[in-house]
Amino acid sequence: MSDTPPESPDVDAPDFDAMARDIAEVPAVEVIVTVAVNLMSAAAVKLGLTEEGDKYKDLDEARKLVTALAGLLDASATEISSFHAAPLRDGLKSLQLAFREASLVRDEPGQGPGEKYTGPIYG
């Protein structure tokens, strides 16, 4: 017999079964939109567009986030309605323009973050 007590369930451990059930109830469009909004928010922070301004500004990170957002929107365009897609595309374009304005060395049109998915952004 072992002197170690049996393991008790960790009350702080995530309940993955419950999480999977919760996710299963969410429509795919809502998951896609939520991910897109999270990418937009993170990109805005990395572009210095929050109240903290330049405190978290990191254009390399912003480029990655904007490109990921553009790729997600491009890939999901046929899966989500224009009701959901239109405001996301507007937000993406605003982030792309903000990136262009924040950059000391401007990308050529068509070479900015996400522009391989959206086409050139002029501004």
Side-chain angles (χ1 to χ4, degrees):
M1 231 159 163
S2 172
D3 290 337
T4 59
E7 290 187 29
S8 61
D10 187 359
V11 293
D12 293 330
D15 182 358
F16 291 111
D17 290 335
M19 290 169 56
R21 280 191 303 273
D22 291 344
I23 288 173
E25 295 173 6
V26 178
V29 170
E30 288 186 37
V31 174
I32 293 167
V33 169
T34 300
V35 170
V37 169
N38 285 329
L39 287 169
M40 285 179 151
S41 298
V45 169
K46 297 295 184 178
L47 285 168
L49 301 176
T50 61
E51 289 181 12
E52 292 87 11
D54 289 343
K55 183 176 179 183
Y56 301 109
K57 189 173 184 179
D58 184 337
L59 294 182
D60 184 51
E61 291 290 302
R63 178 183 292 277
K64 293 171 188 170
L65 292 163
V66 172
T67 299
L69 174 62
L72 174 65
L73 294 181
D74 183 55
S76 63
T78 59
E79 305 300 326
I80 61 177
S81 67
S82 60
F83 174 79
H84 294 290
L88 295 173
R89 280 196 291 272
D90 289 344
L92 171 60
K93 185 174 181 180
S94 295
L95 291 170
Q96 288 171 312
L97 289 170
F99 184 92
R100 187 169 293 282
E101 288 177 17
S103 297
L104 296 175
V105 178
R106 302 260 170 112
D107 293 320
E108 292 294 320
Q111 301 301 309
E115 291 183 30
K116 70 180 179 180
Y117 301 108
T118 63
I121 300 295
Y122 299 96

